[in-house]
Amino acid sequence: MSSIVLFGPPGAGKGTQAERITTSTGLPQVSTGDMLRAAVKQQTPTGIEAKEYMEAGLLVPDSIIIDLIRDRIKLPDAQAGVMFDGFPRTIPQAEALAQITAVSHVIAIEVPDERIVDRICGRYSCGNCGSVYHETFNPVSNSGCECGDFIEKRRADDNKETVKSRLSAYHEQTSPLADWYDNKGIFHRVNGDRDINLISDDILLALKK
Ligand code: AP5
């Protein structure tokens, strides 16, 4: 069993790429952001605790995240490995992950900060199937979402104020993980400031190394 990590700042395109390469890798996407949003919606104890951190653009405490991952990784579809999207985000999370499952590749999608605000503030998704779109860069087609039932949905934390905190959290708490994984020889950088298809091609190439 071996898993993949998609790593990068908020709005780098981790979710977009995970959605596209999941068929090629055969690994299910595990997004801690999606899991937390589901918990908030269901008003579970985890969701109630996580909500204020998420709305402020801060990282949710490691203990909550690690418990979520421990439970998720036990499910049958995770037995051959998973594609983590947005996890790990701190060194303690990466250390916990190393005890839970093997990671073969960490793919860093690199995008300059100045692009991030536009990407996040223009994002919307299909409320029916979860596909991610962008007002300018990746709009839903005139015929609607491929799922056939498009309902536009926006995230509560996708605004200019929260993006600043999310970027600060990334630079202070998450970016040190780049060196941590680089030292293990499994870290691959991909230029994420390009056409979405080119990025997917580069990720699939990196996964063959
Ligand atoms: P999470 O949901 O993980 O948010 P994030 O990391 O901030 O990442 P995003 O989902 O915003 O971006 P993305 O990289 O997936 O980009 P996307 O593909 O959508 O986390 C939310 C919150 O939950 C956190 O702030 C924190 O509070 C908490 N949390 C989650 N995990 C945690 C953890 N492990 N530890 C602690 N707390 C945690 O793309 C963005 C937009 O750009 C889209 O509109 C897309 O269409 C467009 N786009 C994508 N690629 C391109 C391209 N190449 N060119 C132009 N546009 C593009």
Side-chain angles (χ1 to χ4, degrees):
M1 163 176 170
S2 205
S3 294
I4 295 168
V5 171
L6 292 182
F7 179 87
K14 302 180 294 295
T16 300
Q17 294 300 332
E19 211 178 278
R20 297 167 71 90
I21 64 172
T22 189
T23 320
S24 309
T25 61
L27 300 176
Q29 174 187 7
V30 171
S31 158
T32 37
D34 286 348
M35 292 165 79
L36 290 167
R37 279 183 288 280
V40 170
K41 194 173 172 193
Q42 289 157 19
Q43 298 189 309
T44 65
T46 295
I48 290 164
E49 195 173 347
K51 190 170 186 265
E52 62 180 289
Y53 293 96
M54 296 173 79
E55 285 179 351
L58 303 173
L59 292 187
V60 172
D62 288 336
S63 57
I64 294 183
I65 300 292
I66 293 164
D67 283 351
L68 275 180
I69 291 296
R70 272 192 216 288
D71 289 346
R72 178 63 184 85
I73 212 82
K74 287 179 192 152
L75 298 183
D77 70 335
Q79 297 317 301
V82 303
M83 182 162 38
F84 291 109
D85 160 8
F87 172 86
R89 263 167 145 108
T90 62
I91 304 263
Q93 289 182 21
E95 287 170 342
L97 178 61
Q99 304 297 318
I100 298 171
T101 185
V103 172
S104 62
H105 296 77
V106 177
I107 308 288
I109 304 176
E110 299 188 315
V111 179
D113 282 7
E114 57 269 25
R115 294 266 190 274
I116 296 295
V117 177
D118 281 349
R119 284 212 189 171
I120 286 185
C121 294
R123 169 169 50 194
Y124 57 91
S125 62
C126 172
N128 181 46
C129 71
S131 291
V132 180
Y133 297 100
H134 190 281
E135 287 165 359
T136 313
F137 310 130
N138 182 27
V140 68
S141 76
N142 289 338
S143 53
C145 185
E146 274 184 18
C147 74
D149 193 10
F150 178 67
I151 308 155
E152 183 179 314
K153 193 175 158 194
R154 302 250 173 184
R155 273 171 48 177
D157 59 345
D158 278 355
N159 56 67
K160 278 188 183 168
E161 291 67 38
T162 312
V163 173
K164 282 184 199 155
S165 326
R166 285 159 68 189
L167 271 173
S168 299
Y170 172 76
H171 289 297
E172 286 162 26
Q173 294 168 273
T174 306
S175 64
L177 272 176
D179 283 344
W180 199 85
Y181 276 122
D182 209 11
N183 288 334
K184 299 189 183 306
I186 56 171
F187 193 74
H188 305 267
R189 295 173 192 275
V190 171
N191 177 357
D193 191 13
R194 291 177 301 155
D195 177 82
I196 290 174
N197 294 315
L198 295 177
I199 300 166
S200 309
D201 292 346
D202 274 7
I203 293 176
L204 291 174
L205 262 181
L207 290 176
K208 288 185 183 150
K209 288 180 188 162

